[in-house]
Amino acid sequence: MTDDDRPVGDDGAAEDGRATSDSPATDGGRRPLPADREEPVGRPVVRADPAVTGDRADEAVGFDPDDPDSVAEAADTVRAFSENTVGDEDNVYMLRGAAACAALVRGVGSYKAAAERAGGDVSVAFIRKWARVHDLPQAVRRHVARGRIAPTAAKHIARVAGPDRFDLAWAVLDGDLTVREVRRVASEVNDGRPVEDALAERGVRFGRLELRVSPDQYRELRRRASLENRPPGDIVDDALDGYFD
């Protein structure tokens, strides 16, 4: 059995329709972080959130891989998605296409069967790439919908696994990486290079984040850091440990 024929349940998604990860991300060694989609495949969790997509939330279309009619709609959507270049700059449109790809694969059982069901010039590679975007964690997909992460960059972020997915996504936000740079970093990471090293080569200082806090908190942060002979970042890190726990 080839990868193209393999059921999607054996390649990135659980049998109950939820995505899974063989190498879950971790939060400083404290607990696992969801590096893959947690919501049922095809459900428009991000696209249907008015806080993210505004008025377009009402247009959100879901796909149910267990409903034959919905699978047929997903197949039509995938084919239209593959043939339509007009919406390339429309992040919400791209996420809908990604959802259709993932639901179609789930519904028919393999990437190869999904490509055949969609018809036209739809390829296995096309469906696999976009289904993986749908499998990204919600925290990343929300930035895609907001336009902060280009869908074409998301395709490369989805190529890496575990915490590296988050690291590469946040580097796009904080380091202004181009799509080409994201592609190259993803390839290097998959070849075994530490993501921090790959990002540093492109001028991204891993873990560096500019924040704005209230004047009162700023004064107290600086005061405590000085009294304890520590950098302000260490104080913030300790505070976040308590907040996230």
Side-chain angles (χ1 to χ4, degrees):
M1 181 179 292
T2 67
D3 288 342
D4 296 345
D5 295 317
R6 183 169 52 185
V8 71
D10 295 331
D11 186 18
E15 293 302 330
D16 64 357
R18 292 178 181 273
T20 62
S21 175
D22 293 332
S23 54
T26 57
D27 186 3
R30 296 192 301 273
R31 64 184 185 280
L33 286 175
D36 293 275
R37 184 184 185 90
E38 295 185 288
E39 306 83 17
V41 171
R43 184 172 296 178
V45 176
V46 173
R47 290 178 289 119
D49 186 352
V52 179
T53 58
D55 294 339
R56 298 189 63 184
D58 294 335
E59 305 171 5
V61 176
F63 301 97
D64 183 354
D66 296 320
D67 180 350
D69 291 338
S70 188
V71 171
E73 182 181 5
D76 291 341
T77 301
V78 169
R79 180 165 179 172
F81 177 46
S82 71
E83 295 173 347
N84 182 14
T85 59
V86 176
D88 282 356
E89 301 302 321
D90 187 337
N91 290 12
V92 178
Y93 169 82
M94 304 291 257
L95 285 178
R96 180 186 179 189
C101 288
L104 180 59
V105 173
R106 165 65 64 184
V108 300
S110 73
Y111 293 109
K112 182 177 180 180
E116 292 174 349
R117 180 69 181 272
D121 294 328
V122 178
S123 67
V124 168
F126 177 86
I127 291 180
R128 180 188 287 115
K129 287 178 182 179
W130 286 107
R132 286 175 175 171
V133 170
H134 186 65
D135 186 45
L136 285 169
Q138 185 181 151
V140 176
R141 299 195 321 271
R142 283 178 174 265
H143 280 295
V144 176
R146 293 177 182 125
R148 298 288 310 284
I149 296 177
T152 46
K155 286 194 297 183
H156 298 298
I157 293 170
R159 289 167 49 205
V160 300
D164 291 343
R165 279 186 167 182
F166 288 110
D167 298 344
L168 188 49
W170 306 156
V172 173
L173 301 180
D174 299 327
D176 294 325
L177 292 181
T178 66
V179 173
R180 178 175 296 181
E181 288 173 324
V182 173
R183 175 176 59 81
R184 289 178 177 172
V185 170
S187 295
E188 292 174 13
V189 170
N190 284 333
D191 286 339
R193 187 180 190 188
V195 66
E196 186 172 351
D197 292 348
L199 293 175
E201 183 176 306
R202 289 153 179 92
V204 179
R205 297 181 61 181
F206 186 77
R208 185 180 181 89
L209 176 65
E210 182 176 336
L211 298 173
R212 181 181 295 276
V213 298
S214 69
D216 288 345
Q217 298 287 19
Y218 174 74
R219 295 187 193 100
E220 182 62 10
L221 173 61
R222 281 294 190 185
R223 187 184 73 85
R224 296 225 184 163
S226 178
L227 290 175
E228 297 178 21
N229 300 311
R230 302 171 65 195
D234 286 358
I235 305 295
V236 173
D237 202 49
D238 287 347
L240 290 175
D241 274 340
Y243 179 82
F244 289 137
D245 284 341

